[in-house]
Amino acid sequence: MENNSFDINVELNIETLQSGELTRTKIAEPGKFTQIGKSIYLRFNESLENDQVASILVKITEDGEIHLKRVAKENNVASLLYFTHHQHNNGHLETEYGTMPLDTFTKDSQVEIVSNPLSGKINIDYDLIYDNNVIGNYKFRLIFNA
C-alpha cells in the first residue's frame, strides 16, 4: 500500500447563498496531502474567532466521491458531508444538542490533481438540504500546491 504525504498550501473559497444573502469565505492555510492506496486526503485548519480552529479533512475516494469533514472542538460542532456528481447523499451535523441529518445534492463536482509538481483543484457546487428543504446553495473551490 502506497503512503505518500506532502506539505501543501491550501486556498479555499466558499460562496454561500442562504435566504437570498450571499456570503463569501476565504481560507488560506498550510496543510497536508496524503495518498493511501487510491484515496487522497487533504488536511488543513480553518482559523476561527477567539484563536479557535476547525480541522478540515477532504477525502477523495477511488471512485471520485468527495467526503468533507469539519470539526470545531471548542464549539462542539462537527459535520460530515458527502458529494457524488449529480447525486443526493446523506450527511450530518453534530452539535452539543444532538445530531442533525443534513443531505447534499451535488450539482457539479470536478477534481483535478497533477503529480509533478503536486497541485490540484476541487470544485463542488451543491445544495445543502435539511428536512427535504434546500437551506443553502454552495460553491466550494479548493486549490492546493506543494
Side-chain angles (χ1 to χ4, degrees), residues 10 18 39 41 45 80 89 106 116 132 136 140:
V10 174
Q18 284 182 311
S39 293
Y41 300 84
N45 289 328
L80 183 56
N89 285 298
T106 308
N116 196 7
N132 294 320
F140 177 99

Side-chain angles (χ1 to χ4, degrees), residues 6-63:
F6 302 94
D7 291 330
I8 56 170
N9 291 310
V10 174
E11 184 178 306
L12 174 60
N13 292 290
I14 301 172
E15 200 172 274
T16 307
L17 182 60
Q18 284 182 311
S19 305
E21 188 175 323
L22 184 64
T23 309
R24 290 187 174 91
T25 304
K26 183 175 183 171
I27 300 168
E29 296 281 347
K32 274 270 192 242
F33 172 101
T34 305
Q35 182 169 355
I36 300 174
K38 295 191 188 268
S39 293
I40 292 169
Y41 300 84
L42 302 173
R43 297 175 195 273
F44 57 97
N45 289 328
E46 173 187 0
S47 297
L48 304 173
E49 295 175 3
N50 302 327
D51 293 325
Q52 297 178 355
V53 296
S55 61
I56 298 177
L57 172 66
V58 179
K59 176 183 179 184
I60 303 153
T61 66
E62 181 179 351
D63 60 7

Side-chain angles (χ1 to χ4, degrees), residues 12-126:
L12 174 60
N13 292 290
I14 301 172
E15 200 172 274
T16 307
L17 182 60
Q18 284 182 311
S19 305
E21 188 175 323
L22 184 64
T23 309
R24 290 187 174 91
T25 304
K26 183 175 183 171
I27 300 168
E29 296 281 347
K32 274 270 192 242
F33 172 101
T34 305
Q35 182 169 355
I36 300 174
K38 295 191 188 268
S39 293
I40 292 169
Y41 300 84
L42 302 173
R43 297 175 195 273
F44 57 97
N45 289 328
E46 173 187 0
S47 297
L48 304 173
E49 295 175 3
N50 302 327
D51 293 325
Q52 297 178 355
V53 296
S55 61
I56 298 177
L57 172 66
V58 179
K59 176 183 179 184
I60 303 153
T61 66
E62 181 179 351
D63 60 7
E65 186 173 271
I66 302 166
H67 305 177
L68 177 60
K69 183 175 186 178
R70 182 178 181 275
V71 178
K73 287 184 181 167
E74 291 90 351
N75 300 342
N76 292 319
V77 175
S79 62
L80 183 56
L81 301 176
Y82 300 93
F83 305 98
T84 309
H85 192 69
H86 288 163
Q87 291 186 25
H88 285 270
N89 285 298
N90 301 88
H92 62 271
L93 174 68
E94 295 174 22
T95 71
E96 59 187 289
Y97 305 108
T99 301
M100 184 170 87
L102 285 177
D103 299 333
T104 57
F105 174 70
T106 308
K107 296 187 262 189
D108 192 24
S109 64
Q110 297 175 323
V111 176
E112 293 178 22
I113 297 174
V114 178
S115 57
N116 196 7
L118 178 62
S119 64
K121 66 180 182 177
I122 301 167
N123 292 343
I124 311 168
D125 294 350
Y126 67 98

